[in-house]
Amino acid sequence: MKSLHLIGSKKMGGAERWFTRFLHAMVRHGEPVEAVVRRGSELAIHHLADLPHRELPFRTVWDPLTRFEVSRLVKASDAPIVQTYMGRATRLTHLEPGRGKVHLSRLGGYYKLDPFRHAHAWIGNTRGLCDWMVKGGLPASRVFHITNFADPAKAVPEAELAALRARIDLQAGDWLMVTAGRLIDVKGHRFLVEAMGRLPAEIDGRRLRLVVLGDGGLKDSLAEQARQLGVADRILWAGWQHDPAPWFRIADMVVFPSRDAETLGNVILEAWAYGKPLVASAFRGAREITRHGEDAWVVPCDDGAALAAGMEHVIRNPALQTALLEHGLARIDADFSEAAVIEQYRALYAQLLDNR
């Protein structure tokens, strides 16, 4: 059945990456979709060329013009499912119940619930988030848990990987760590920079390097922190990457230092999909989906010393690295496959339409 999907973001981040991954997956599985995104956004420019989509202003959450245009577009659409993402698109989308269409709001974080209460049903990508929504007053019968899936690891030509290694001066003996996420407080980058300051420059003759994939308001302060700790030459601030696959391919390890408020953390799934050992902090999502010592090495949140110790422990233990990546790949197949997640959405849509 056809579904209409609305998001009002200007920049790319985890939710936006999920939006485009999810819609492309729906199409691969034979589900017709249409996207509505912010005019001139990075999503519109870089990610939706091969998907049917429209652009609206989405200037503010109170924008009367966009609200009118959303209402008109929804009425004209033959999609019975209208799925919104994050606060802006959800606030600007209002469907009267009992009119044949269902407004489903997907939450990927612990947001204030008031802007979402007018939806007809809600999806949370972790069980903890769903429990939190119910405790916040949303009816349990209309709150549904569907996790994220991991994209299959993307093949990258060896020539492209060689060019990337040369561009960043990555030597054969280097140990390259990759982290990804907006440079905002919840991602915990300052603890990772601190951890780099606590680690030696080399371990077992291998130079330690860190690549940070992401942009955000904390970039300057994080770079200054790295300079003060004397590790600026070990950290590459690569900026936002519309295609992070080459970076995951050349990585030796993935590190994800988010703070407790982080909900799921798609980087966990990406590390597993690309077969990379993972060191992660014990934020809410990691506590729910990882298994310490099996598919990830998990350390306390907000603790640069513990993070450094965990990173060094994994780097010094090749057998542990192999176990982490093998179990991570198995978790993708068992619990986070694209086909399984799309089938859950398909079943939910049918259920909601039967009950509308």
Side-chain angles (χ1 to χ4, degrees):
M1 68 195 71
K2 186 175 182 180
S3 51
L4 183 67
H5 299 261
L6 299 91
I7 190 168
S9 311
K10 183 177 182 180
K11 299 290 186 179
M12 290 296 294
E16 293 75 23
R17 285 184 63 191
W18 166 252
F19 182 87
T20 184
R21 288 166 52 211
F22 175 61
L23 295 194
H24 282 97
M26 289 283 279
V27 171
R28 285 194 294 272
H29 289 265
E31 297 295 324
V33 300
E34 184 175 6
V36 183
V37 299
R38 186 169 177 170
R39 185 169 295 137
S41 65
E42 292 185 356
L43 268 171
I45 295 169
H46 297 290
H47 297 280
L48 299 177
D50 55 345
L51 289 176
H53 67 277
R54 302 190 188 189
E55 298 180 34
L56 295 181
F58 285 114
R59 284 180 288 263
T60 70
V61 296
W62 311 111
D63 179 14
L65 176 59
T66 301
R67 183 165 177 172
F68 168 76
E69 291 181 332
V70 167
S71 177
R72 183 172 61 179
L73 190 154
V74 168
K75 288 179 181 178
S77 173
D78 58 350
I81 294 290
V82 180
Q83 187 162 316
T84 59
Y85 302 73
M86 303 180 69
R88 182 168 302 197
T90 302
R91 287 190 183 197
L92 291 166
T93 304
H94 286 259
L95 279 67
E96 295 183 27
R99 294 296 182 91
K101 295 181 185 289
V102 175
H103 179 188
L104 179 60
S105 180
R106 179 190 178 275
L107 280 75
Y110 290 83
Y111 313 131
K112 292 182 178 179
L113 288 177
D114 285 348
F116 299 88
R117 293 185 188 277
H118 62 280
H120 304 154
W122 304 267
I123 293 175
N125 61 0
T126 67
R127 296 189 185 281
L129 179 57
C130 291
D131 291 343
W132 177 82
M133 285 192 277
V134 173
K135 289 179 181 177
L138 300 185
S141 62
R142 289 189 279 135
V143 174
F144 302 92
H145 170 237
I146 304 181
T147 190
N148 293 3
F149 60 80
D151 278 340
K154 180 180 176 182
V156 181
E158 182 54 41
E160 184 177 342
L161 298 181
L164 178 57
R165 292 187 184 100
R167 178 161 64 85
I168 66 173
D169 190 29
L170 183 65
Q171 304 300 313
D174 290 349
W175 180 268
L176 184 67
M177 296 167 284
V178 167
T179 191
R182 286 179 177 168
L183 304 184
I184 56 177
D185 185 65
V186 73
K187 298 299 182 181
H189 290 102
R190 70 178 188 268
F191 302 104
L192 181 52
V193 174
E194 178 190 341
M196 289 296 291
R198 291 177 177 272
L199 287 166
E202 296 182 357
I203 292 179
D204 295 334
R206 303 189 69 176
R207 184 175 59 156
L208 304 189
R209 303 280 304 279
L210 171 67
V211 171
V212 181
L213 308 179
D215 285 317
L218 296 180
K219 181 177 180 179
D220 290 344
S221 63
L222 291 167
E224 178 59 27
Q225 179 189 7
R227 284 191 291 270
Q228 291 180 3
L229 292 174
V231 294
D233 60 336
R234 303 183 207 172
I235 302 176
L236 172 63
W237 307 95
W240 180 262
Q241 301 294 312
H242 292 288
D243 181 10
W247 297 95
F248 283 111
R249 283 290 183 191
I250 67 172
D252 294 295
M253 185 168 78
V254 174
V255 185
F256 198 49
S258 280
R259 310 188 71 190
D260 188 60
E262 179 78 70
T263 309
L264 173 61
N266 287 318
V267 176
I268 290 176
L269 305 184
E270 289 173 312
W272 288 345
Y274 280 89
K276 304 298 178 179
L278 170 68
V279 177
S281 56
F283 60 87
R284 298 178 191 186
R287 295 197 299 271
E288 180 170 317
I289 69 172
T290 63
R291 298 164 183 170
H292 173 61
E294 295 184 23
D295 48 44
W297 195 261
V298 183
V299 303
C301 291
D302 298 359
D303 191 332
L307 183 57
M311 293 161 67
E312 183 167 1
H313 180 70
V314 174
I315 294 169
R316 292 189 183 276
N317 287 273
L320 176 59
Q321 297 164 24
T322 300
L324 294 178
L325 69 87
E326 288 179 348
H327 287 122
L329 288 167
R331 291 295 307 283
I332 293 295
D333 291 339
D335 301 321
F336 300 97
S337 71
E338 177 183 296
V341 171
I342 296 302
E343 183 54 39
Q344 290 179 63
Y345 272 92
R346 186 183 286 130
L348 176 59
Y349 289 175
Q351 176 185 339
L352 292 174
L353 292 176
D354 286 343
N355 296 333
R356 59 186 162 179

